[in-house]
Amino acid sequence: MNEEQELNTTTETAYTPQSSYNPPVTETRSVEIVNKIREQLLKVVFGQKHVVDQVIATFLAGGHVLLEGKPGLGKTHMVVALAHTFGGAFRRIQFTPDLMPSDVTGFTLFDMKSQTFQVRRGPVFTSLLLADEINRAPAKTQAALLEVMQERQVTIDGETMKLDPPFMTLATQNPIEQEGTYPLPEAQLDRFLMKVIIDYPNHADEAEVVRQVTGSQGLKAEAVEQICSPQEIIDAQKEAAAIRCVDEVVAYAVNITRATRSAQGISLGAGTRGAISLVRVAKSYALMQGRDFVIPDDIKAASLPVLRHRVQLAPELAISGQNVDDAITAIVASVEAPRQ
């Protein structure tokens, strides 16, 4: 099965807990903000509810997203709209084979007038950074993002500068065109909290996109309303981090992660960062549902986007026609969940 076929076989739905347990819901300011941001994004992004929910969950968790999908499915459109919902800055970098690390982070320049060196900040100094087709740049340029994504800081000629929160990197890669690309190494893939698959919308949603774009008003990402300020996003991230996760649910996330290392047909399992990411995303899902605690279904809902880029199939399993999502789904089903 090639990568295009693998993409088309992946189906996900917007996050909804599958458990029959209905915990009480608390409508805090953060929950209200998240719901309104989702509403605004769905006005300009049609047929991608699961993508919108996963991107919002990653943003709440303070992580970064790797978006994989064919061209023309609204990836840039969604990122621009998200930036407008909280009044944040947006920058885009088109990754190419000749892109240099200084084009990403910035550089120092000697100013003849003042006879001093001036720092020219690169596009990473923003709120939302779209790294378009990241796998088209060589490893040296890809690595320029590592410090930014992990440490939230940039070092230029020995001077370290912190990035203002909130900050999120959304990197895209095309799963079809492999010629002239540089696959992301495992170390950098692991820096992404989620790998989100964007597939074609259904007929009704695609027809609506065509109607909106070709209409008199067009379909402009800038038309979404600003819901909150950057500080309120930071507050929501703090609230998500404070969501309670009992030891049994933490152990469940660890058990799933460890199971990827011993499962038959898996050549590379997820590391400890995978378990950490499961809990972080599960906390975001809990907040999005108005809960102040994590349930096992939150861990299950996070498993595919959190683990799919951290797990590699053995050649014999890949030849059989299975893909990574099939393997992860089977692993999650084999791990006993704690009783609620």
Side-chain angles (χ1 to χ4, degrees), residues 19-304:
S19 173
S20 58
Y21 175 55
N22 295 313
V25 174
T26 304
E27 186 75 8
T28 64
R29 171 60 178 161
S30 295
V31 175
E32 179 187 357
I33 286 173
V34 168
N35 288 333
K36 288 184 177 180
I37 288 177
R38 183 194 289 113
E39 290 173 6
Q40 291 299 314
L41 292 183
L42 292 178
K43 289 180 180 179
V44 295
V45 181
F46 297 94
Q48 304 290 355
K49 290 183 179 179
H50 75 281
V51 174
V52 169
D53 280 348
Q54 289 171 2
V55 168
I56 291 175
T58 303
F59 198 26
L60 284 174
H64 310 284
V65 177
L66 180 62
L67 297 167
E68 185 174 284
K70 302 180 183 72
L73 295 180
K75 296 184 288 290
T76 304
H77 199 71
M78 177 179 60
V79 179
V80 174
L82 177 60
H84 278 277
T85 60
F86 68 95
F90 164 76
R91 301 291 294 275
R92 175 179 179 176
I93 306 174
Q94 185 65 48
F95 277 67
T96 56
D98 61 346
L99 190 73
M100 299 296 292
S102 59
D103 297 326
V104 176
T105 59
F107 54 91
T108 56
L109 183 69
F110 186 73
D111 187 347
M112 297 294 293
K113 184 178 294 186
S114 63
Q115 294 293 299
T116 59
F117 284 96
Q118 302 290 330
V119 175
R120 299 293 178 90
R121 295 188 172 193
V124 296
F125 289 91
T126 185
S127 298
L128 296 184
L129 175 67
L130 179 61
D132 213 0
E133 295 186 297
I134 188 174
N135 56 334
R136 291 203 175 277
K140 186 176 181 180
T141 304
Q142 292 176 6
L145 278 178
L146 285 177
E147 181 185 23
V148 180
M149 293 168 60
Q150 188 67 26
E151 306 296 336
R152 302 296 202 277
Q153 65 182 28
V154 176
T155 302
I156 302 175
D157 288 345
E159 181 182 353
T160 300
M161 291 164 283
K162 294 287 186 181
L163 298 180
D164 294 329
F167 172 75
M168 179 167 68
T169 298
L170 299 99
T172 70
Q173 64 178 10
N174 190 329
I176 303 172
E177 300 175 7
Q178 298 300 322
E179 185 176 350
T181 62
Y182 302 82
L184 294 173
E186 288 79 6
Q188 185 155 350
L189 283 173
D190 205 31
R191 297 304 198 279
F192 290 99
L193 191 66
M194 280 192 182
K195 179 180 178 181
V196 177
I197 303 295
I198 304 180
D199 206 349
Y200 293 119
N202 60 36
H203 182 277
D205 289 323
E206 192 164 9
E208 182 61 26
V209 170
V210 174
R211 279 193 294 269
Q212 293 280 353
V213 171
T214 58
S216 58
Q217 299 297 321
L219 188 62
K220 299 179 180 178
E222 297 84 355
V224 301
E225 299 177 14
Q226 181 173 341
I227 301 302
C228 61
S229 66
Q231 182 57 50
E232 287 179 298
I233 292 294
I234 296 171
D235 294 339
Q237 290 176 338
K238 291 178 180 178
E239 186 173 330
I243 295 290
R244 291 182 292 117
C245 188
V246 298
D247 291 345
E248 291 81 2
V249 177
V250 171
Y252 180 51
V254 172
N255 289 341
I256 290 176
T257 304
R258 293 177 66 86
T260 65
R261 304 169 197 165
S262 57
Q264 187 175 4
I266 302 295
S267 62
L268 177 65
T272 304
R273 190 180 278 123
I276 294 171
S277 299
L278 279 176
V279 174
R280 288 173 61 192
V281 173
K283 288 185 174 186
S284 294
Y285 280 156
L287 177 65
M288 292 167 68
Q289 293 294 318
R291 285 182 274 106
D292 63 355
F293 58 92
V294 176
I295 60 176
D297 279 344
D298 296 325
I299 301 292
K300 290 180 181 179
S303 60
L304 282 182

